[in-house]
Amino acid sequence: MDNLSDTLKKLKITAVDRTEDSLEGCLDCLLQALAQNNMETSEKIQASGILQLFASLLTPQSSFKAKVANIIAEVAKNEFMRIPCVDAGLISPLVQLLNSKDQEVLLQTGRALGNICYDSHEGRSAVDQAGGAQIVIDRLRSLCSITDPANEKLLTVFCGMLMNYSNENDSLQAQLINMGVIPTLVKLLGIHCQNAALTEMCLVAFGNLAELESSKEQFASTNIAEELVKLFKKQIEHDKREMIFEVLAPLAENDAIKLQLVEAGLVECLLEIVQQKVDSDKEDDITELKTGSDLMVLLLLGDESMQKLFEGGKGSVFQRVLSWIPSNNHQLQLAGALAIANFARNDGNCIHMVDNGIVEKLMDLLDRHVEDGNVTVQHAALSALRNLAIPVINKAKMLSAGVTETVLKFLKSEMPPVQFKLLGTLRMLIDAQAEAAEQLGKNVKLVERLVEWCEAKDHAGVMGESNRLLSALIRHSKSKDVIKTIVQSGGIKHLVTMATSEHVIMQNEALVALALIAALELGTAEKDLESAKLVQILHRLLADERSAPEIKYNSMVLICALMGSESLHKEVQDLAFLDVVSKLRSHENKSVAQQASLTEQRLTVES
């Protein structure tokens, strides 16, 4: 190290005098010292003030530019040296050297800039201002097709430099995307897929860029899907496959890329992984099974990719996914149920699946998870049943298969996601199914649980679905017994509150259900309607200009129905409804205007 102090002193003199031999000797000595103890040597270099002299040794004419760039690359491995390198004015001359034709100069310059940018805002800013990124991308483009080892090493360094420049920085990543880095990197991957280091660098770059929404369109216009699938097929190491998965997952969020991945044969690779790993208890294999099956489900979220794999219900992929449902592996059961839920996104698919026995498979799966079951599997299987119940033709078939009985086994669940899907499934099943609605509506345990969930303020979804199911039980059954059960369980106040929901569809459902209650069982519900302040709420809905036409219409229908109750009639008279209703006679909506005339007559006669 004493030697080093002498070298630094000597270097100061020779850098000014430009005595070539002794200058080269000093630089070699510095590189040796850095190889032995990088941190201590870097500290001494910083203390000596020699960094400022390096700028003059980085000119295109200098014979030592490669060695100086190498020294800068070595010192910039230390975090404390990156800002001093920027302050010493080294960035601009380094960026100029990127135009050199000398491979060694380019290599060391790329290393130096890459290390200065690593985790350093100041380093990145300086490279940005000097226009370094564009030059590197242009060099990558021009050198892309040369496959000799030295060039591949240079390409790897340049990719690494761009990574360090833009890592975790959205605006710099967006800048690289605008400069066209994506097609260049995809081309690199295709040409150099035999080179492990370069391939890895491209994958890391893709992983970072793919997180940005603006990158997806550019990726979709390249053959990235084909290249990644080709690469994936060659990999046997878990870590390498994991790296490719990390790129595939964000890319597969884009529908166009989903389809490209399906067409490139990714699904077959994923099915093979599932088959290989399903019985293994090794941690890596379990991870890969989860990642592979999750990705499979993600590919099915795109309408085109999903339909391509469904192949009219005859597709081998669809058949394989079906076989996951009865498996003993929770991850596969989950992926199978989620895949069915995704296939069940149009009526044709749903009808085909119900006719081919999917419902029974899902019911068997749910039965296996009733006691201490896996919540994610319960949630996924219920999601699939809910989707399958949407086409009208499927409802009666699913009801006679006993779906409601299976679903009701989960009434005791304390997990909001399961509660939410359970409610949605029952609501879909009873739509326009009077008998089923009546049967469920008279089920005291169910109605009491619904009333309890109507107060689940921490879970807006569960609360909303419970209210909607209460209303649906009345609307579809039109049954006095159902209304009595709901009144006895304390459900009326929730229906009245639902009439004030911010969602018009829910307001409407509540008003229709309340009108049926008033028409069929007004005496039974009278006290509850009073204490829930229904009349005041209706007055407010009619007076509010923002209320939708159907809300105004159904509110007036309900007012007329309430006139049969003495106490509610009195409340209507006290609130001067006539004023509000007569104004609505000139409403632009014909149905509202007509109902206003009828309601006005009724109010006048009854007053």
Side-chain angles (χ1 to χ4, degrees), residues 419-420 423-424 427 450 453-457 459-472 494-495 498 501 503 505-506 509:
Q419 296 167 352
F420 180 72
L423 292 163
R427 189 165 62 79
L450 291 183
W453 286 341
C454 281
E455 290 169 6
K457 296 209 165 33
H459 301 287
V462 172
M463 195 162 89
E465 276 294 340
S466 302
N467 278 303
R468 292 190 76 184
L469 183 52
L470 264 187
S471 152
H494 297 300
L495 290 170
M498 184 181 165
S501 163
H503 304 290
I505 190 163
M506 285 177 69
E509 288 171 359

Side-chain angles (χ1 to χ4, degrees), residues 348-582:
N349 292 6
C350 288
I351 292 164
H352 177 90
M353 287 193 276
V354 169
D355 287 346
N356 283 275
I358 301 284
V359 169
E360 288 71 14
K361 282 188 168 69
L362 290 167
M363 283 162 61
D364 290 345
L365 177 60
L366 280 170
D367 278 336
R368 292 163 69 185
H369 286 276
V370 175
E371 299 303 326
D372 308 320
N374 181 305
V375 173
T376 50
V377 175
Q378 293 171 357
H379 178 261
L382 288 167
S383 294
L385 285 173
R386 181 199 174 279
N387 287 3
L388 290 168
I390 293 172
V392 176
I393 196 169
N394 281 356
K395 297 181 197 295
K397 292 175 186 172
M398 289 175 72
L399 288 166
S400 61
V403 172
T404 45
E405 290 76 3
T406 300
V407 170
L408 287 171
K409 290 175 187 172
F410 295 90
L411 257 189
K412 53 180 186 265
S413 171
E414 293 303 332
M415 305 306 288
V418 174
Q419 296 167 352
F420 180 72
K421 286 297 174 188
L422 171 152
L423 292 163
T425 308
L426 291 176
R427 189 165 62 79
M428 280 302 154
L429 280 169
I430 62 164
D431 191 5
Q433 306 296 310
E435 200 180 316
E438 180 161 14
Q439 205 179 343
L440 282 178
K442 291 193 293 192
N443 180 330
V444 177
K445 267 191 183 156
L446 168 65
V447 174
E448 284 177 349
R449 195 70 161 131
L450 291 183
V451 170
E452 184 190 326
W453 286 341
C454 281
E455 290 169 6
K457 296 209 165 33
D458 295 343
H459 301 287
V462 172
M463 195 162 89
E465 276 294 340
S466 302
N467 278 303
R468 292 190 76 184
L469 183 52
L470 264 187
S471 152
L473 291 169
I474 294 168
R475 287 182 297 111
H476 298 304
S477 71
K478 300 182 175 60
S479 153
K480 291 185 168 204
D481 290 339
V482 170
I483 294 169
K484 283 176 189 164
T485 308
I486 289 172
V487 172
Q488 280 154 12
S489 304
I492 295 297
K493 62 180 179 195
H494 297 300
L495 290 170
V496 174
T497 306
M498 184 181 165
T500 64
S501 163
E502 57 193 25
H503 304 290
V504 173
I505 190 163
M506 285 177 69
Q507 280 187 292
N508 222 14
E509 288 171 359
L511 291 169
V512 172
L514 288 165
L516 282 164
I517 292 169
L520 297 170
E521 275 296 326
L522 186 54
T524 315
E526 185 178 46
K527 280 199 170 58
D528 288 354
L529 294 171
E530 257 182 87
S531 57
K533 306 217 169 353
L534 173 62
V535 173
Q536 288 89 323
I537 285 169
L538 292 172
H539 189 274
R540 211 162 61 228
L541 289 175
L542 287 172
D544 188 346
E545 283 176 13
R546 291 164 305 177
S547 293
E550 59 268 42
I551 301 303
K552 291 188 187 294
Y553 178 88
N554 283 322
S555 296
M556 289 188 282
V557 170
L558 183 48
I559 285 293
C560 294
L562 294 177
M563 303 299 269
S565 150
E566 206 175 308
S567 53
L568 292 167
H569 184 174
K570 186 176 183 312
E571 282 189 26
V572 171
Q573 282 179 317
D574 292 349
L575 270 175
F577 264 85
L578 263 171
D579 301 349
V580 185
V581 171
S582 57

